[in-house]
Amino acid sequence: MKNFWRGGELFVWMTASGVAISLLMVAGMLALIMFNGLGQFWPRTLQQVTLNTQETLIGQLVGEETIPHSGTTDARSGQRRFRYRVGNRDQFGSEYRWINEADIVSTSSPDDLTFVERREWGPAYGRIGLEEEGSTATTHDQSTWSTIVRLVDRANQLRQQIEHLEREDIGSINYRIEKARLARQALVLKGGVAATTAEADRRLVDEIAGLEREYLSKTQALERLHKEASQDVVFLTLSTGRSVRLPLDQIVAVSRPNAMNWVEKMMAYVRNLWLFVSGEPREANTEGGIFPAIFGTVLMVFLMTLAVMPFGVMAAVYLREYAKQGPLVRLVRIAVNNLAGVPSIVFGVFGLAFFVYALGGTIDQLLFPESLPNPTFGTGGILWASLTLALLTVPVVIVATEEGLSAVPRDFREGSVGLGATKFETIRHVVLPCALPGILTGLILAMARAAGEVAPLMLTGVVKLAPALPLDEYLPFLHLERKFMHLGFHIYDVGFQSPNVEAAKPMVYMTTFILILVVVLLNLAAVMLRNRLRKRFAASAV
C-alpha cells in the first residue's frame, strides 16, 4: 500500500479521469449544439392530425414528453403528449401546440401538404392552390404545383431586383447626396464669401438637384417593381378549412416535404444551410441568415489583432529586454496580470468613456465638424469595439510574449553580440524570430477570448441589426465608424430578446455552432502559422 501511494498511480488515475470527463463534457456540449442547430434545416414530415373533437391540425412534430402525474392502471408510465409546430402565427396566435396522445384519432402524411416560408409571421402550413378552396386547381395537379413554384421563383427574382435597386442604385444616390450636403455645410463653416466659394456652392446645388431627379426616377421604377411583385397571389387552405390569401412577394419558398425523396431532401438541406450562412436576418433576427454577424465578428477580430499584436509585443520586449529589473518592473508585471482578471464590462465602460466620447468626440470636432451634431466617430463603431477588446486582451499577449522571449537561449544573444550586432539588431534578427511561436500562442488565446466577448461590445458598437456592412464599394471602402453585428450578441438577442423565443431556439443553437466554428478556424490558422515558424527556426538552429 505504501508503494502504491509513493508511486502516485492514484494521482495518475485521478488526473486522467479529469481529462476524460472534461473531453466528454466538451463533446457532449458540441453534440447537443450540432443536433439542435443543424437539424433545423432538414425538411421535416408534415403531419395531418385528427382529434376526437373532429378538429384537424397540420404541423411538424417537434417534441414529446410524458405528462406529469398521469399514470393510470392501464399506463403506469404515464400518458404522452406531443408538441407540434403548427405555424400560421398570424392566424392562430401561437406557432406551437401541445396535443395529448389520448386526444388523437388518426395521423397521416398526405403528399399535398405544403410548407410555405414567409418573409413575415414565420412559416405557414396547409394546402396551396391558385384559387380559393373549392376550385378544381389544387396541388394534387402537378402542373398547378409547377406553376406555383415558377411564380414563386419569379417573385424572388423581382425581390432581388427590388433589393438591388434599393441598396445599390438608391443607396448610391443617397450617399452622394449626403456627401454633397456635407460639402455645402463645410463651405458654410468656412464662412468664405469669395467668388470661388460661391461657384463651388452653386456646383454642389446643381449636383444635388441632379441627384434628386435621378432619385425620383429610381423610386418610380421601384414602385413599378413593387406593384408587379404584388400582383400574383396564391391561396393557402389551413387545417381549419379556411383559405387565406398569400401575396407572392411575401413568400420566400414553398415545398412539399412529404413528396420529397431522400436526394431532394438532402438538396433542400444544403440549400437551407447555405441561405442561413450567406443570407441576411429577418423577423427580428429569428428568421433568415446571419452573414452580417459572421462578417462583423471576423472583421472585429482581425482589427483587434492588428491593434493588440504590436502594442503587446513592444510592451513585452521593453519589460524583458530593456527595463532594469527591480521593484517597479515587478509592480508593472503584477498590474498586467491583474488587468487580465478585470471584468470585461469594465473595459466596455472605459471604451465608451475614452474611445467613443473622448477620442471619437474630439475627432468629430477636428475632422468632421460639418456632420455635427450627428456624430461620425463620436458614437459606437467597429473601430472602438476592436480597440476596447485589444485593451482587454493585451495582458495575454504581453505575458505570452515574455515567456517566449525568456525561452530564447542566452547563447543566441551572446553569439549575435559577439559577431558585432547591436542589441536592437540582436532583438530584431535573432530574439524576436525565435520567440514568434510563443507570441503567436498569446495571439491565439487573445483571438479566442475576443471572439467570445459580448459585454464590452454592447457599449462600444454592436447592434441588433446593422443597415450596412463596414466594408463596401464607397471610399474609403473600410468604414471603421460604422456599427456592426456580432455572433455573440446575436445569440443573446435572439435567445433572450426575441418575441418568439420558442421559434428562435434552433437559431440560437446554430449561431452558437457557427461562432465556435469561426473561433476554431481563426485559431487553426494561427496554429498552422505558429507550427510553420517553429519548424523554420528549428531548421535554422540546426
Side-chain angles (χ1 to χ4, degrees):
M1 191 66 184
K2 184 177 180 181
N3 292 332
F4 174 78
W5 284 107
R6 292 184 62 186
E9 292 185 9
L10 179 62
F11 179 73
V12 174
W13 278 102
M14 289 177 63
T15 53
S17 300
V19 173
I21 292 173
S22 300
L23 292 177
L24 285 175
M25 291 175 64
V26 172
M29 181 193 69
L30 290 176
L32 175 69
I33 292 172
M34 293 176 66
F35 177 78
N36 288 282
L38 294 172
Q40 66 168 317
F41 302 111
W42 186 258
R44 294 187 179 183
T45 301
L46 281 173
Q47 296 184 0
Q48 179 172 294
V49 182
T50 303
L51 307 180
N52 53 16
T53 58
Q54 302 305 315
E55 182 185 1
T56 301
L57 66 87
I58 297 173
Q60 296 172 326
L61 179 63
V62 294
E64 62 177 273
E65 67 178 19
T66 301
I67 303 175
H69 312 296
S70 61
T72 62
T73 54
D74 297 334
R76 293 185 181 278
S77 60
Q79 299 179 13
R80 292 188 304 165
R81 61 184 175 189
F82 302 102
R83 189 162 180 257
Y84 283 90
R85 188 178 190 184
V86 296
N88 306 299
R89 193 168 76 244
D90 53 331
Q91 300 295 326
F92 300 150
S94 175
E95 204 168 321
Y96 292 86
R97 182 173 173 182
W98 284 99
I99 303 294
N100 294 340
E101 184 180 21
D103 297 334
I104 297 176
V105 176
S106 64
T107 303
S108 60
S109 302
D111 288 348
D112 62 333
L113 295 183
T114 307
F115 171 88
V116 182
E117 183 180 356
R118 300 182 293 182
R119 300 189 184 280
E120 297 177 351
W121 296 104
Y125 306 134
R127 290 180 169 83
I128 198 169
L130 293 174
E131 302 293 340
E132 291 191 61
E133 178 70 5
S135 169
T136 56
T138 68
T139 52
H140 287 294
D141 183 359
Q142 184 60 36
S143 63
T144 303
W145 173 251
S146 300
T147 303
I148 292 173
V149 173
R150 188 172 65 253
L151 289 174
V152 171
D153 290 340
R154 178 174 172 274
N156 283 328
Q157 291 173 1
L158 288 173
R159 168 59 56 181
Q160 291 177 357
Q161 294 180 24
I162 290 172
E163 291 177 353
H164 182 273
L165 192 60
E166 289 175 339
R167 295 185 179 183
E168 303 298 329
D169 298 342
I170 296 180
S172 173
I173 294 172
N174 287 332
Y175 176 80
R176 286 182 287 167
I177 289 177
E178 180 64 13
K179 295 290 288 183
R181 186 189 69 80
L182 292 177
R184 287 196 68 201
Q185 185 66 21
L187 291 177
V188 172
L189 292 177
K190 288 180 180 177
V193 294
T196 54
T197 302
E199 177 63 20
D201 185 69
R202 188 186 61 78
R203 285 199 300 269
L204 288 172
V205 170
D206 294 341
E207 180 183 350
I208 292 174
L211 289 170
E212 288 177 343
R213 287 193 295 272
E214 189 177 354
Y215 176 85
L216 182 61
S217 172
K218 295 294 183 183
T219 53
Q220 291 173 348
L222 185 64
E223 290 178 1
R224 287 194 296 272
L225 284 175
H226 275 296
K227 187 177 179 181
E228 184 180 355
S230 60
Q231 282 180 347
D232 297 322
V233 298
V234 293
F235 291 89
L236 186 71
T237 303
L238 307 179
S239 57
T240 58
R242 188 162 61 90
S243 292
V244 295
R245 184 175 181 271
L246 295 178
L248 282 176
D249 62 340
Q250 294 299 315
I251 296 177
V252 177
V254 293
S255 62
R256 294 188 298 182
N258 299 347
M260 288 181 175
N261 56 35
W262 189 86
V263 176
E264 291 173 333
K265 285 190 175 181
M266 182 57 70
M267 293 175 63
Y269 180 86
V270 174
R271 170 185 170 275
N272 294 336
L273 182 59
W274 170 248
L275 290 177
F276 176 79
V277 175
S278 63
E280 297 189 354
R282 307 190 310 270
E283 286 266 354
N285 290 346
T286 59
E287 300 283 348
I290 58 169
F291 176 74
I294 297 175
F295 186 87
T297 303
V298 174
L299 181 60
M300 183 207 68
V301 171
F302 180 72
L303 294 174
M304 183 278 302
T305 304
L306 291 180
V308 75
M309 187 75 172
F311 189 73
V313 171
M314 286 190 293
V317 167
Y318 179 78
L319 289 174
R320 175 61 60 178
E321 303 292 336
Y322 288 105
K324 183 179 180 181
Q325 304 301 314
L328 182 59
V329 172
R330 286 199 295 273
L331 186 63
V332 171
R333 286 201 176 95
I334 292 172
V336 169
N337 292 331
N338 287 336
L339 198 63
V342 175
S344 58
I345 189 65
V346 176
F347 285 94
V349 173
F350 175 82
L352 178 67
F354 179 72
F355 291 126
V356 177
Y357 290 151
L359 191 56
T362 304
I363 291 175
D364 281 351
Q365 291 178 358
L366 295 176
L367 302 180
F368 305 98
E370 68 276 9
S371 299
L372 293 175
N374 297 323
T376 303
F377 280 91
T379 183
I382 192 168
L383 175 62
W384 304 139
S386 302
L387 292 180
T388 303
L389 288 183
L391 192 63
L392 186 148
T393 56
V394 73
V396 178
V397 178
I398 292 176
V399 172
T401 303
E402 276 207 88
E403 292 297 325
L405 294 173
S406 63
V408 178
R410 186 179 180 85
D411 296 344
F412 286 18
R413 293 181 173 84
E414 293 176 348
S416 176
V417 174
L419 292 174
T422 63
K423 188 167 186 176
F424 172 73
E425 290 171 335
T426 300
I427 292 174
R428 181 183 175 188
H429 297 292
V430 177
V431 177
L432 278 180
C434 292
L436 262 182
I439 297 172
L440 289 176
T441 300
L443 186 63
I444 291 169
L445 296 175
M447 289 166 61
R449 181 171 183 188
E453 284 291 345
V454 175
L457 307 181
M458 296 171 68
L459 301 177
T460 54
V462 75
V463 289
K464 175 187 178 74
L465 184 63
L469 295 176
L471 188 67
D472 60 21
E473 70 274 20
Y474 304 117
L475 287 172
F477 306 118
L478 181 59
H479 302 273
L480 297 174
E481 78 281 5
R482 286 184 182 172
K483 299 181 185 299
F484 67 105
M485 295 181 68
H486 185 270
L487 287 171
F489 183 75
H490 190 268
I491 294 170
Y492 163 76
D493 176 64
V494 174
F496 298 97
Q497 305 294 320
S498 171
N500 191 3
V501 176
E502 290 297 323
K505 279 183 179 177
M507 178 76 78
V508 171
Y509 282 112
M510 194 58 204
T511 308
T512 304
F513 175 69
I514 295 294
L515 176 59
I516 294 174
L517 191 63
V518 168
V519 173
V520 169
L521 291 177
L522 289 173
N523 287 346
L524 191 61
V527 168
M528 292 175 63
L529 178 61
R530 182 187 62 184
N531 293 339
R532 186 173 179 180
L533 291 172
R534 185 172 289 166
K535 290 180 181 178
R536 176 182 172 185
F537 292 117
S540 300
V542 172

